[in-house]
Amino acid sequence: MAPENLPVGILFFSQTAVGILGNWSILLHYVTSVITGKSLMPKDQILKHLTLANSLVIISRVTPHIMVQLGLQYLLDDLLCKLTLYSNRVSRGISLHCTCLLSCFQAITISLSHSRLMTLTHSVSKYMIQFCSISWLLHLLLNIKTAIDVIGPNTIKNVTRKIMLGYCSAFAFSNGVTGLHLFFVCFTDGLCLSIMVWASIFMVKILYRHKSQLQYIHSAHHPLRVSPEDKATKTILILVFTFVLSYSMSFILIIYTVVFDNPRLWIINIFTFLDTCFPTFCPFILISNNQSTPKNALPCCSRRNL
């Protein structure tokens, strides 16, 4: 391994260790709850799939870069490249859908006192497991084309143009099937991001309205207390903002690798690190909210809100 690659390798290894530790600690709690017979609430179901997807994102995204920095790129054959990129695309899509579903569910939850959505919420809650399972199935099928187009760094094939991904390569968009696949991927991602932004704006309005109402109720001798619901909503807003920022880094990286024939590896490393920040820090945002909120207000510890 070249000496100049050592700091980058240590950085990616540290990010992987921190992210896996945080996500697996939350997953361990859910596994323990299932083993002990405790039923998981709807938000628990969403967070369980979100933390699992985040773990896969970190492993599939960062591990190949660590191998390159350690000088082990010769181990990246066709199969490993296809497996890592396919796993990354699937888990990335699941993370997007779970974050979108979480923000929508919280928006409905905090607006129940002002609407008639209680019956709808109970109906949706009953099928939360099915919603998450369908999301996995959808992305497993949607990203098969991605696995087919990926080749290893040592593979020689007669293609008009390859997109360099730093450690692997992919065929350039050259036929209608690839264009249709790209359209569906962009459409589903754009739809989820749009819904996520709408739910976030809606929650901000609810929080502002709630704060304004409390200012009239409480006097100066009775300081305002932030309710568990408000804390949960603010935590989800932080998650949404972090995810959008991380997704933007991923989008910029995709544009960069498509436009330039020989993208520089150090630029890919920077964007890869920023892209993986959401799955790395997401569990710690949840844990910090858990420590500052009563135990009956978090899905990780109870049956109420995030």
Side-chain angles (χ1 to χ4, degrees):
M1 179 181 64
E4 60 270 15
N5 293 336
L6 181 60
V8 179
I10 294 177
L11 179 64
F12 278 125
F13 180 80
S14 302
Q15 185 184 41
T16 303
V18 171
I20 293 300
L21 178 63
N23 285 285
W24 284 9
S25 63
I26 296 180
L27 279 176
L28 179 61
H29 170 80
Y30 289 133
V31 171
T32 305
S33 300
V34 173
I35 294 176
T36 55
K38 295 181 180 179
S39 60
L40 298 180
M41 298 302 289
K43 286 184 184 178
D44 294 315
Q45 298 290 350
I46 301 174
L47 289 175
K48 179 180 66 175
H49 289 273
L50 178 61
T51 52
L52 177 59
N54 285 342
S55 300
L56 293 177
V57 169
I58 296 172
I59 295 175
S60 60
R61 185 67 166 165
V62 178
T63 299
H65 286 268
I66 296 178
M67 295 178 63
V68 171
Q69 300 305 322
L70 295 177
L72 302 176
Q73 60 268 21
Y74 60 88
L75 297 177
L76 291 171
D77 55 5
D78 271 4
L79 180 60
L80 189 55
C81 279
K82 291 178 183 295
L83 181 61
T84 53
L85 191 59
Y86 179 68
S87 301
N88 180 262
R89 293 296 174 84
V90 171
S91 55
R92 188 70 174 173
I94 296 298
S95 181
L96 171 61
H97 279 202
C98 287
T99 307
C100 177
L101 187 60
L102 186 65
S103 59
C104 291
F105 193 87
Q106 182 65 20
I108 295 176
T109 300
I110 64 175
S111 63
L112 285 178
S113 58
H114 305 282
S115 65
R116 300 178 180 179
L117 299 177
M118 182 69 72
T119 304
L120 176 61
T121 303
H122 288 309
S123 301
V124 172
S125 301
K126 294 179 181 179
Y127 300 101
M128 192 62 67
I129 298 178
Q130 289 79 357
F131 288 156
C132 295
S133 300
I134 292 175
S135 181
W136 279 98
L137 179 61
L138 174 64
H139 284 89
L140 286 171
L141 296 176
L142 189 62
N143 289 281
I144 291 178
K145 186 68 169 59
T146 300
I148 295 175
D149 290 345
V150 175
I151 58 177
N154 300 320
T155 302
I156 301 177
K157 289 190 176 183
N158 294 325
V159 294
T160 56
R161 181 169 177 258
K162 293 190 299 183
I163 300 174
M164 303 303 297
L165 304 176
Y167 49 89
C168 300
S169 304
F171 301 148
F173 314 128
S174 57
N175 54 56
V177 177
T178 303
L180 183 62
H181 168 259
L182 181 63
F183 169 77
F184 278 116
V185 172
C186 294
F187 175 77
T188 55
D189 289 1
L191 180 62
C192 286
L193 287 173
S194 300
I195 296 175
M196 194 186 305
V197 171
W198 171 83
S200 301
I201 295 175
F202 179 78
M203 286 188 287
V204 170
K205 291 182 178 179
I206 292 293
L207 286 178
Y208 178 78
R209 187 187 309 168
H210 184 230
K211 181 179 179 180
S212 300
Q213 292 175 349
L214 289 179
Q215 288 178 346
Y216 288 102
I217 298 175
H218 293 270
S219 62
H221 301 285
H222 297 83
L224 296 176
R225 293 184 179 180
V226 181
S227 67
E229 291 82 3
D230 290 349
K231 290 184 178 180
T233 304
K234 292 177 181 178
T235 299
I236 293 178
L237 289 174
I238 294 175
L239 290 179
V240 170
F241 174 79
T242 308
F243 182 88
V244 172
L245 183 62
S246 177
Y247 188 89
S248 300
M249 296 298 104
S250 178
F251 182 77
I252 294 174
L253 178 59
I254 292 175
I255 297 298
Y256 175 71
T257 54
V258 170
V259 172
F260 294 92
D261 293 334
N262 295 304
R264 296 187 178 275
L265 187 59
W266 66 270
I267 297 180
I268 294 179
N269 289 334
I270 292 176
F271 279 100
T272 299
F273 176 81
L274 297 176
D275 176 32
T276 322
C277 284
F278 173 78
T280 301
F281 298 110
C282 174
F284 298 99
I285 295 175
L286 297 174
I287 292 173
S288 63
N289 182 77
N290 184 18
Q291 294 175 346
S292 61
T293 308
K295 288 188 176 182
N296 63 344
L298 282 176
C300 299
C301 307
S302 73
R303 302 170 168 272
R304 201 176 171 187
N305 289 311
L306 174 69

